Amino acid sequence: MVNSLKFRSSLEKETNTLAVIARSDFPTLKQTNQEGKPLIYLDHAATSQKPYQVLQVLDHYYKHDNANVHRGAHQLSSRATEAFESAREITAQFVGAKASSEIIFTRNASEAINLFTRCWGDLTIKAGDEILLTVMEHHSNLVPWQLLAARTNCLLRYVSITEDGQLDVEDFKAQLNERTKLVSLVHVSNTLGCINPVTLISQLAHSVGALVLVDACQSLAHLPINVKQLGADVLVGSAHKLCGPTGIGFLWASEYLLESLPPFLGGGEMIQDVFLSYSSWAKLPHKFEAGTPSIGEAIGMGAAISYLQHLGLNRIQEWEQILTEHLFTGLSQIRGLRILGPQFSQQTHRAALASFTLEDIHANDLAAFLDTTGICIRSGHHCTQPLHRHYGITSSARASLSFTTTLEEIDYFVQELTETVDFFRKHN
Ligand SMILES: *Cc1c(COP(=O)(O)O)cnc(C)c1O
């Protein structure tokens, strides 16, 4: 570790103190590798680590309350159901939903988008209708729409990005028209790190009668979110990106919209009455939740959200801005390193991640080499192949931070990256 850390401002010092306190909640972050080097986890955008507060809730659920929900009158079932529904309440309140019945639990964000393309898309979309996406979308927000297009013959259009790696709002305006039925876009890009102007996009989309689906996977753990303020009609997220367990995510939509849709999957839990020749559907939200859900995991997601709320999303955002600036300053000193997406400035808020390329060194080599020093970064296309193709590249390296990242970790990363780059350049 770099011991000679000099804080450039009192804000940096305060941020670092907060990170050091928060990271003590995360057992995975306390490891060292075989050579005794501390683990530096810079892959939070792929999945976040889990604090004790979440692990303890999972442990408690499986040790004390494990039972199937909404069935049986026994004590375990009523405790499990209560905790499960309270997690839904926490999630609803977290995104600013009107009621907890507007939150549909899914396996992850991908399943939530598939649910919507199936239930809404198959019901509403006809040949010649248009769906407007962007070239920066995660594959989860591309492929389900491609499947819908194959079923319905609708047209998928893609908004481009500007020279400086942000959503091209002018191109969006040019492509939006009265055939546009829905705009589906990422709130914060997992590759570019840009924060898209969703409120503006929603206003414009609504002016032609189109709905807006927001992929909030990369924003939920990093900035305050409110579906009303965003003007979203649908919003999806995954718990594992916000310090919660895998296997649980959610879809939010208004009760009005959800009521108008047919069910997604059939099975137990989603029915009211079943006869041999037909069935009737359960009330919201259960209509969309067939089968036994991920009960402990949903409760864990509730605990994760409460944990983030306890730290405060405004504070997390401020704090991560300082980390981002520190990261960008460090990376700017490496010759030939190109960061995808907008540059950091006090005006353009940017997510706490940097995807970058070096013309002469492959991202996989960088990541593999850094791993030996204890540093975990991502390399590859980060599930945004079309975006990488837009830049004429097949892969990039990505360092993604969280509120547990310290300034020392960033310094150590920049130092090790610099040495790795020098090494490759000498030996190539
Ligand atoms: C991770 C991610 C997804 C997909 O989440 P899953 O949990 O894999 O379904 C979608 N969009 C963005 C922006 C993501 O970062």
Side-chain angles (χ1 to χ4, degrees), residues 108-110 138 140 186 190 215 217-218 238 240-241:
N108 47 38
S110 302
H138 189 282
S140 295
V186 71
N190 64 318
D215 170 355
C217 283
Q218 294 295 339
S238 260
H240 72 94
K241 302 250 173 102

Side-chain angles (χ1 to χ4, degrees), residues 175-191:
Q175 298 209 54
L176 185 73
N177 66 70
E178 64 285 355
R179 289 181 304 278
T180 313
K181 295 293 178 261
L182 177 131
V183 177
S184 190
L185 84 165
V186 71
H187 188 190
V188 170
S189 163
N190 64 318
T191 302

Side-chain angles (χ1 to χ4, degrees), residues 200-277:
L200 171 68
I201 296 294
S202 300
Q203 279 164 4
L204 295 167
H206 291 157
S207 72
V208 299
L211 297 183
V212 176
L213 185 151
V214 179
D215 170 355
C217 283
Q218 294 295 339
S219 47
L220 286 163
H222 303 279
L223 44 118
I225 292 251
N226 182 290
V227 290
K228 208 161 153 212
Q229 186 260 321
L230 290 173
D233 298 287
V234 187
L235 183 131
V236 302
S238 260
H240 72 94
K241 302 250 173 102
L242 51 89
C243 301
T246 51
I248 186 79
F250 70 93
L251 174 142
W252 166 85
S254 71
E255 218 165 83
Y256 175 76
L257 180 54
L258 291 173
E259 287 286 7
S260 72
L261 304 180
F264 176 38
L265 303 171
E269 300 266 347
M270 53 76 72
I271 46 82
Q272 182 159 28
D273 285 303
V274 178
F275 302 90
L276 290 179
S277 53

